[in-house]
Amino acid sequence: MSDIKQQTLWRRVFMLIVVSVIAIALSACGTGEGDGGNAEGDSKEEITVAVVQDYPPFEYKEDEELTGFDVELVEAVAEKAHLKVNWKIMKFDGIIPALQANQVDAAVSAIGIREDRLEVVNFSDPYFESGLSLVTTKDGSVQSEEDLEGATIVAKQGTSSLKLANELAEKYNGEVTKLQDDATMYMELENGNADALINDYPSVAYKLKKDGKDSVLQIVGDKYPSEDYGIAISKGSEGLVEKLNTGLQEIKDSGEFDEIYSKYFAE
Amino acid sequence: METINVIIDALPTLLKGMGLTVEITVISLILAMFIGVMLGIFSITKSKVLRFISTVFVDIIRGTPLLVQILFIYFGLPSVVDISLTAFAAGVIAITINAAAYLVEIFRAGINSIDKGQMEAGRTIGFSYSQTMRLIILPQAFRRMIPAIVNQFIVSIKDTSLLSAIGLAELTLSGQSIYAENFRAFEILTVVGILYFVIIYSLSILSRWLERRLNVS
C-alpha cells in the first residue's frame, strides 16, 4: 500500500518537474509581441485588416513579424491615407464572413476580385494580376491536364482555385479535397494523398523556388486565367474604398509600388 | 423566402457530411470502447508493467490537444514513417485513441467506486478473482459508468468537427464549403448546429432508455 503511495508521490514530483520545465522554457521564449500603442500622438484613424499568415510571398511571418507583399503594400497605402493598420490574422475561408459581419474593415490576402464576392463586399482597384497553376509530382501519374481522369485534386477552401478544381474534377470525373492552408495542401500532394493541386501561380512559384532542385513538384501546362487581386473592404466601412484607392494610386505614381513589387517578385 | 432556398440547396451536402460524421463517430467509439476496456483493466491489475502502459497512454493523449493529434497523425507521421493514411483513416484513429484515453479513466474510476467489501464477499463465497469481477463488480460498475461514458461519446461527436482541418468533408467542413461559396454563413451554420444537435440528442435519448433498462430498483 505504502509502496503504491510512494510511487504516486514520485510520479507527481516528476510530472511537476517536467511541467515546470516546459512552462519555464515556453515562457522564456516569450512572443515579444508587445503591441503597446505607439505614443506618436497623432490621431490616425485605425482600421482593422484581416490577413492570413501562411501564404508566402503575399503574407507570411518572419521572426514573429507579419510581412509579405500584401502586408507592405497595405501598410504603404494606409500611410498615404493617414490610417493606422491593426492586423487581424485568420484563416482564408473566414475572411469574407468576417467582412460581412463587420468584424474587420478590410482584408488583404491575394483575394481575387470576383462577381460573387462583389455582391457581399467592396473591392479596391486591382493591384496584382494573377493566374492559377496546376501542380503535380514529377514522378506522378499526372503529366498533363488530360491525365486528370479520376484524379484527386486538392485546393484551398473558399478560393478561386477551388472553383477551378471543381470544374476540372467534373470534367475528368475526379475528386476534390479541400484544405485550409498551403503547407498542408503541398503535403497532401507530396504524401500521395492527392494527385494534383491547384493554387495561385505566385504562391506556387514561391514554393518551387524555396524547394530548389530538391522539389518533387512541377507546374503542368499553362497558367489558367484568374481574377486580379484587390483589397476587400467591408460594405459597412464608409468611404474606405476611396481612401484606399487614392492611396494605391499615390504609391503607384511615386514608384513605391514598383519598389515593393520587385522586392517580392524579382524574376 | 430566399433563406429557405439557401437551406434547401444546402441540405443534400450537409446531410452527406452528417452521414460521414456519424460514420466516423460510430466506428471510432466502438474501437475506443475496446481499447478503453482493455487499458482500463490494465490499470487495475497487479502488474506494474500493464499499469505503466495504461498510465503512459492516458497521460500522453490527455496531455495534448486533439487538433495537434489529428495533424500529427495525418501530416506528421507519414513524413517519417512510410505509411500513407487517408484522411478518413487518420480521423478515425485520432478520435479513437482520444476517446479511449478518457474512457480508460472512466472504467478505472467506475471499477474502483465499487466497495472493496464486494470483492471480499465474492472471494469468501468461493468465487475466483475473475468470477467476482465478471459477476459482481463489473455489472455494478458498468451501471455507474453509463452517464460518464455517454458524456464522453457526446464530446467525441463534437470533436469530429476538428477533422475539417485535414480536409475530411464531415458536417462542419461541408457547412464551411457551402458558405465559402454563397457567403450565407448564418443560415448554413444554423442548420449545421441543428444537425449536430439531432445526432447528440438522439444519443441522449438512447442513453436514458439504457439507464432505465438497467435500473435494478
Side-chain angles (χ1 to χ4, degrees):
Chain A
M1 194 66 232
S2 65
D3 183 33
I4 290 180
K5 252 191 187 151
Q6 201 160 25
Q7 219 188 355
T8 47
L9 181 71
W10 274 118
R11 210 173 47 224
R12 269 195 194 158
V13 172
F14 176 70
M15 284 309 290
L16 195 68
I17 293 169
V18 169
V19 170
S20 321
V21 168
I22 293 172
I24 291 166
L26 288 183
S27 58
C29 292
T31 48
E33 263 194 297
D35 191 38
N38 49 354
E40 270 181 52
D42 61 352
S43 55
K44 276 187 178 174
E45 197 187 332
E46 294 201 357
I47 52 166
T48 317
V49 182
V51 65
V52 302
Q53 59 167 0
D54 49 16
Y55 199 64
F58 289 97
E59 35 270 313
Y60 55 99
K61 278 201 158 175
E62 202 169 47
D63 313 328
E64 297 294 319
E65 280 293 312
L66 189 67
T67 179
F69 174 72
D70 280 348
V71 176
E72 288 204 29
L73 178 88
V74 170
E75 292 277 6
V77 170
E79 187 67 34
K80 292 278 183 224
H82 300 292
L83 297 165
K84 186 175 173 299
V85 180
N86 277 330
W87 292 106
K88 191 164 182 180
I89 292 168
M90 47 176 68
K91 289 263 182 228
F92 190 83
D93 54 10
I95 284 181
I96 305 268
L99 285 163
Q100 280 179 280
N102 278 332
Q103 286 162 346
V104 291
D105 300 308
V108 68
S109 278
I111 307 171
I113 302 171
R114 258 182 11 208
E115 281 305 313
D116 55 345
R117 288 180 182 150
L118 277 166
E119 284 174 22
V120 288
V121 297
N122 295 326
F123 274 98
S124 71
D125 294 334
Y127 66 86
F128 192 92
E129 285 175 23
S130 184
L132 304 176
S133 293
L134 175 64
V135 186
T136 65
T137 48
K138 282 174 185 164
D139 53 4
S141 57
V142 183
Q143 298 299 333
S144 72
E145 191 195 299
E146 287 69 41
D147 297 339
L148 285 172
E149 192 59 45
T152 306
I153 309 168
V154 64
K156 191 159 42 175
Q157 183 78 277
T159 59
S160 306
S161 302
L162 182 59
K163 273 205 145 120
L164 176 64
N166 283 329
E167 282 162 25
L168 289 173
E170 191 133 340
K171 191 169 161 189
Y172 296 104
N173 313 311
E175 297 261 323
V176 174
T177 306
K178 307 175 193 104
L179 289 172
Q180 291 184 327
D181 58 78
D182 278 43
T184 52
M185 287 205 307
Y186 290 120
M187 273 189 228
E188 187 89 350
L189 188 56
E190 287 164 1
N191 288 346
N193 284 324
D195 306 306
L197 169 154
I198 308 263
N199 202 358
D200 294 7
Y201 169 77
S203 166
V204 173
Y206 180 86
K207 161 78 176 166
L208 293 179
K209 196 173 111 185
K210 246 198 132 58
D211 285 356
K213 287 193 176 63
D214 306 335
S215 187
V216 294
L217 305 176
Q218 60 178 14
I219 293 178
V220 173
D222 295 331
K223 268 197 281 189
Y224 294 83
S226 80
E227 314 81 13
D228 295 343
Y229 300 157
I231 303 167
I233 297 147
S234 160
K235 291 215 181 216
S237 298
E238 290 296 320
L240 194 55
V241 180
E242 290 74 31
K243 279 184 194 167
L244 292 181
N245 279 341
T246 315
L248 191 60
Q249 198 52 53
E250 279 179 32
I251 64 164
K252 277 183 175 168
D253 294 341
S254 71
E256 203 175 339
F257 181 89
D258 293 333
E259 239 170 80
I260 300 172
Y261 188 91
S262 53
K263 181 174 164 185
Y264 288 98
F265 302 104
E267 281 310 317
Chain B
M1 207 57 244
E2 204 192 337
T3 304
I4 303 291
N5 286 336
V6 168
I7 291 172
I8 287 170
D9 286 344
L11 264 184
T13 314
L14 291 180
L15 288 173
K16 221 171 107 181
M18 180 177 171
L20 190 60
T21 291
V22 172
E23 195 182 342
I24 292 167
T25 309
V26 170
I27 298 174
S28 302
L29 291 180
I30 289 172
L31 293 173
M33 282 295 272
F34 278 113
I35 298 174
V37 170
M38 199 177 69
L39 289 173
I41 290 169
F42 278 10
S43 69
I44 51 162
T45 49
K46 301 223 172 5
S47 155
K48 267 190 182 164
V49 179
L50 293 185
R51 274 212 311 270
F52 179 75
I53 291 173
S54 157
T55 316
V56 167
F57 173 78
V58 171
D59 285 348
I60 290 176
I61 302 298
R62 282 202 315 190
T64 48
L66 177 55
L67 184 55
V68 174
Q69 289 163 15
I70 292 168
L71 296 174
F72 181 81
I73 290 168
Y74 189 58
F75 292 116
L77 278 185
S79 53
V80 184
V81 195
D82 199 24
I83 44 164
S84 176
L85 290 169
T86 59
F88 182 83
V92 167
I93 292 170
I95 301 289
T96 300
I97 58 171
N98 195 275
Y102 289 92
L103 288 171
V104 169
E105 288 299 288
I106 293 171
F107 289 124
R108 199 173 57 86
I111 292 164
N112 287 340
S113 76
I114 303 299
D115 190 62
K116 270 204 176 50
Q118 299 281 321
M119 174 58 84
E120 284 160 9
R123 300 307 300 270
T124 312
I125 54 174
F127 282 175
S128 68
Y129 174 84
S130 66
Q131 276 176 317
T132 319
M133 263 295 168
R134 210 177 60 236
L135 300 168
I136 300 174
I137 310 276
L138 285 179
Q140 297 180 76
F142 185 69
R143 256 206 309 279
R144 286 185 191 176
M145 288 178 212
I146 289 174
I149 292 174
V150 170
N151 210 4
Q152 183 50 46
F153 279 12
I154 289 173
V155 171
S156 289
I157 292 173
K158 292 190 245 184
D159 281 346
T160 56
S161 69
L162 291 171
L163 296 174
S164 55
I166 56 172
L168 202 58
E170 41 65 70
L171 183 46
T172 304
L173 187 63
S174 307
Q176 284 175 327
S177 317
I178 297 169
Y179 72 71
E181 237 162 278
N182 68 4
F183 310 120
R184 305 292 293 241
F186 175 78
E187 290 90 338
I188 303 299
L189 287 172
T190 306
V191 179
V192 167
I194 291 169
L195 291 178
Y196 272 117
F197 183 83
V198 167
I199 302 173
I200 289 166
Y201 194 67
S202 336
L203 181 69
S204 308
I205 291 172
L206 187 76
S207 76
R208 277 181 210 140
W209 173 81
L210 192 67
E211 274 190 66
R212 271 204 308 275
R213 279 289 312 272
L214 295 172
N215 215 338
V216 262
S217 51

